[in-house]
Amino acid sequence: MNPPRSAVCTRFVFLFAVGLTAFVNTLQAGETPPPNILFALADDWGAQGGAYGTSWIKTPAFDRVAREGILFNRAYTPSAKCAPSRACIITGRNPWQLKEAANHICYFPQEFKSWGEALKEHGWFVGYTQKGWAPGVALGADGKPRLLTGVAFNEHRAPPPTPDISNNDYAANFAAFLDAAPAGKPWCFWYGGAEPHRGYEYGSGVAKGGKKLTDIDRIPGCWPDNETVRNDLLDYAFEVEHFDRHLGRMLAELEKRGLLANTLVIVTSDNGMPFPRGKGNTGELPNHIPLAAMWAGGIAKPGRAVDDFVSFVDIAPTLVEVAGLEWSATGMAPPTGHSLTDIFHSEKSGITNPARDHVLIGRERNDIGRPNDEGYPVRGIIKGNFVYLQNFEPTRWPAGNPETGYLDCDGSPTKTFILAAHRTNPADIFWERCFGMRPREELYDRREDPDCLKNLALAPQGTSVQSELREQLFAELRAQGDPRINGEGALFDQYLHANPGNIHFYERFMKGEKLETKWVNPTDYEKAPAQK
């Protein structure tokens, strides 16, 4: 039974008063106040940019954050899809520990509180622009929408450089947030850019971004190297640069107001690039994300690049700690991640903490299109140079069923080209790499095979590394209470989609119902099921 609305309001007022009193007491005691927080999250940006040596993507603002702070070379999201990835960010827990929130477009469980909610309860002014936790539905016990990332600031608009880029003037909305922030009160702002999420204006990277097809020095081996793919990548780069320009304006706004020195700035993306075998999959390309942090008052020896493995589950413990809060006082579920402040305080480059030697990754149900609303469950571990994956249902299509358009892969010129080539030549290697069936186990050596195309797990005797990583992965998942490991993985497929139009999609589509799937192209649908 839901509590009376008056009780909810009373509890909110009480918690706000407690938090504000604690903050005022801290100031009266002469302690250093916590830093403000600017958390900048791109949508579908992989680990590319100037600071990472990607010459065809210009990211001066991100590069500045890295130069005046820390660049993380080995940062990963546990799940390479918008909603579950963002759920990990705001809770500090892996997706398989978040019930419905492991899935895309879900009903966010009421039992899991976000750090945005916790900070607000402790006297912080919390807001966001464009995209916070999404897509899905997050309601409180009173039936009202939860403010997982604070109050929305979306009033200011500006003409976008292409019709497919958001008209949200992110930087102007950040300035409006700062104007609204009460004096003497710490604040936290979530910059949730919509770029470089698809769609793109084809050819905009060249026509509007001043780029050339020859700017790209290498095409990953999972895609053909041709004009279509190169244009697609440059259009992606153009949208990344749009996100970065607004970040630069936000840094300038903080400088103008004298706030930059006492602001922790974290810049990252929810998952890798929205290309076949990228976003929505599991592995190096989809899960490896950019990450940089700057904070003049809290990061030692700025300009470092570190090689520790870090995960999105480390974000929540970091922000709670720098906010000066005890985790037990937040009301949040116990975190799986660990605060990054050990790296902040270290003066080392490279490996700063040898214990940070791996990350766990995985996925449950992303987009629709399989029979019985099934997902494609995967768990994996990235440790050292190796990527190990366990595909729990290898008889299912990784990118979604062909007859329903491979809906687990966003529509794009690259996707369209690969599908068309496969129809002409069923033996086309690029279709196999991006859309074909996968074995139960995969093992890749990133040093020798950076595109992760040579599956070492297919060797007749396997490898000792394969056995060791499998054992470690399953031991950690059992300790974390993963239902998939405990024989209850079917739960994830039974959770309802938050969009009613998604429920029983495959069965309805196969019966001839006209259903909307705007994120793929009409030509993505195969006329008949492909051969497994």
Side-chain angles (χ1 to χ4, degrees):
M1 179 180 298
N2 293 338
R5 182 174 300 178
S6 59
V8 174
C9 295
T10 300
R11 179 175 181 273
F12 172 80
V13 171
F14 171 76
L15 289 172
F16 178 84
V18 169
L20 187 58
T21 299
F23 176 70
V24 171
N25 289 342
T26 296
L27 294 181
Q28 291 176 343
E31 299 177 16
T32 303
N36 301 306
I37 298 168
L38 171 59
F39 184 77
L41 187 69
D43 199 348
D44 299 355
W45 173 27
Q48 306 99 18
Y52 290 114
T54 311
S55 60
W56 47 277
I57 304 180
K58 308 300 182 183
T59 53
F62 177 79
D63 300 349
R64 177 188 178 183
V65 173
R67 185 174 61 252
E68 298 183 17
I70 298 173
L71 178 69
F72 293 84
N73 289 323
R74 294 176 172 175
Y76 291 83
T77 174
S79 180
K81 194 71 171 180
C82 297
S85 176
R86 292 160 188 260
C88 297
I89 292 173
I90 64 178
T91 64
R93 295 169 68 85
N94 280 313
W96 46 86
Q97 299 177 298
L98 292 172
K99 298 184 176 180
E100 291 96 328
N103 290 346
H104 192 55
I105 313 182
C106 71
Y107 292 98
F108 196 92
Q110 292 183 7
E111 66 195 88
F112 298 115
K113 182 186 287 187
S114 71
W115 46 259
E117 293 172 309
L119 291 179
K120 182 178 180 181
E121 289 179 353
H122 284 79
W124 286 62
F125 185 62
V126 183
Y128 78 101
T129 192
Q130 189 70 33
K131 187 173 181 179
W133 174 82
V137 176
L139 301 177
D142 58 358
K144 294 183 177 180
R146 291 171 62 181
L147 302 180
L148 294 176
T149 54
V151 178
F153 283 79
N154 292 318
E155 179 181 356
H156 296 280
R157 301 285 165 175
T162 78
D164 293 300
I165 289 177
S166 173
N167 66 353
N168 186 313
D169 191 335
Y170 306 123
N173 284 312
F174 176 54
F177 167 84
L178 293 177
D179 290 340
K185 183 175 181 179
W187 52 259
C188 176
F189 187 79
W190 174 299
Y191 163 28
E195 293 76 34
H197 193 288
R198 292 190 183 272
Y200 307 154
E201 179 182 72
Y202 186 75
S204 57
V206 172
K208 298 180 178 179
K211 301 179 182 297
K212 301 186 299 294
L213 298 185
T214 54
D215 290 343
I216 301 175
D217 54 350
R218 193 181 78 88
I219 301 293
C222 49
W223 313 315
D225 185 351
N226 58 36
E227 181 177 335
T228 297
V229 175
R230 285 177 174 264
N231 263 307
D232 205 10
L233 287 168
L234 294 179
D235 298 344
Y236 157 81
F238 186 61
E239 294 218 358
V240 172
E241 293 169 1
H242 179 80
F243 171 86
D244 189 79
R245 280 192 294 274
H246 279 270
L247 173 63
R249 289 172 56 195
M250 292 179 186
L251 297 179
E253 187 70 28
L254 289 173
E255 281 187 308
K256 183 179 73 174
R257 296 173 185 245
L259 297 173
L260 185 59
N262 193 42
T263 299
L264 168 60
V265 180
I266 296 178
V267 188
T268 186
S269 171
D270 56 359
N271 47 251
M273 56 202 310
F275 283 71
R277 201 178 170 95
K279 170 190 175 181
N281 289 270
T282 307
E284 178 68 14
L285 182 64
N287 292 80
H288 191 186
I289 44 86
L291 178 64
M294 66 183 291
W295 174 20
I299 290 180
K301 198 176 180 181
R304 290 180 289 132
V306 302
D307 296 326
D308 303 56
F309 282 90
V310 299
S311 168
F312 271 168
V313 297
D314 300 327
I315 297 294
T318 303
L319 299 188
V320 168
E321 181 181 344
V322 301
L325 304 178
E326 293 292 334
W327 192 274
S328 58
T330 65
M332 299 173 68
T336 304
H338 303 280
S339 172
L340 298 172
T341 53
D342 61 316
I343 299 177
F344 288 1
H345 298 155
S346 172
E347 295 189 353
K348 295 180 181 179
S349 298
I351 300 296
T352 73
N353 183 349
R356 295 183 181 271
D357 65 349
H358 71 284
V359 291
L360 300 188
I361 58 177
R363 66 186 276 199
E364 279 297 334
R365 187 177 65 211
N366 289 337
D367 281 316
I368 52 179
R370 297 184 187 85
N372 304 311
D373 291 338
E374 295 169 339
Y376 189 79
V378 183
R379 299 291 185 272
I381 181 171
I382 301 180
K383 184 175 183 178
N385 292 317
F386 291 96
V387 179
Y388 171 79
L389 304 175
Q390 175 87 194
N391 300 313
F392 288 91
E393 298 290 348
T395 62
R396 299 178 188 174
W397 289 100
N401 279 51
E403 60 271 31
T404 49
Y406 306 92
L407 295 181
D408 238 342
C409 176
D410 292 354
S412 68
T414 300
K415 178 182 178 182
T416 297
F417 184 94
I418 293 173
L419 294 183
H422 175 250
R423 291 170 191 137
T424 302
N425 175 20
D428 181 75
I429 189 61
F430 298 110
W431 179 92
E432 183 64 31
R433 290 172 176 173
C434 294
F435 301 104
M437 305 295 284
R438 297 180 186 171
R440 181 168 292 274
E441 290 187 285
E442 300 177 66
L443 177 68
Y444 304 101
D445 184 339
R446 297 184 303 136
R447 178 177 51 192
E448 302 295 331
D449 177 25
D451 296 332
C452 296
L453 299 176
K454 184 180 179 181
N455 185 6
L456 302 177
L458 297 178
Q461 304 301 322
T463 70
S464 59
V465 172
Q466 180 179 342
S467 300
E468 292 168 4
L469 293 179
R470 182 197 307 118
E471 182 177 346
Q472 181 177 355
L473 171 65
F474 277 61
E476 293 193 25
L477 293 173
R478 279 192 291 269
Q480 293 178 16
D482 183 356
R484 182 62 63 181
I485 303 302
N486 297 334
E488 299 177 332
L491 287 172
F492 294 109
D493 289 339
Q494 294 168 5
Y495 292 131
L496 287 179
H497 289 276
N499 180 352
N502 290 352
I503 299 173
H504 303 314
F505 178 94
Y506 181 88
E507 289 74 18
R508 292 158 56 198
F509 177 86
M510 297 303 289
K511 289 179 181 178
E513 186 176 345
K514 300 298 182 183
L515 298 168
E516 192 174 87
T517 53
K518 291 183 178 180
W519 67 95
V520 300
N521 298 329
T523 57
D524 290 353
Y525 289 81
E526 301 291 1
K527 294 181 179 179
Q531 296 296 316
K532 294 187 177 182

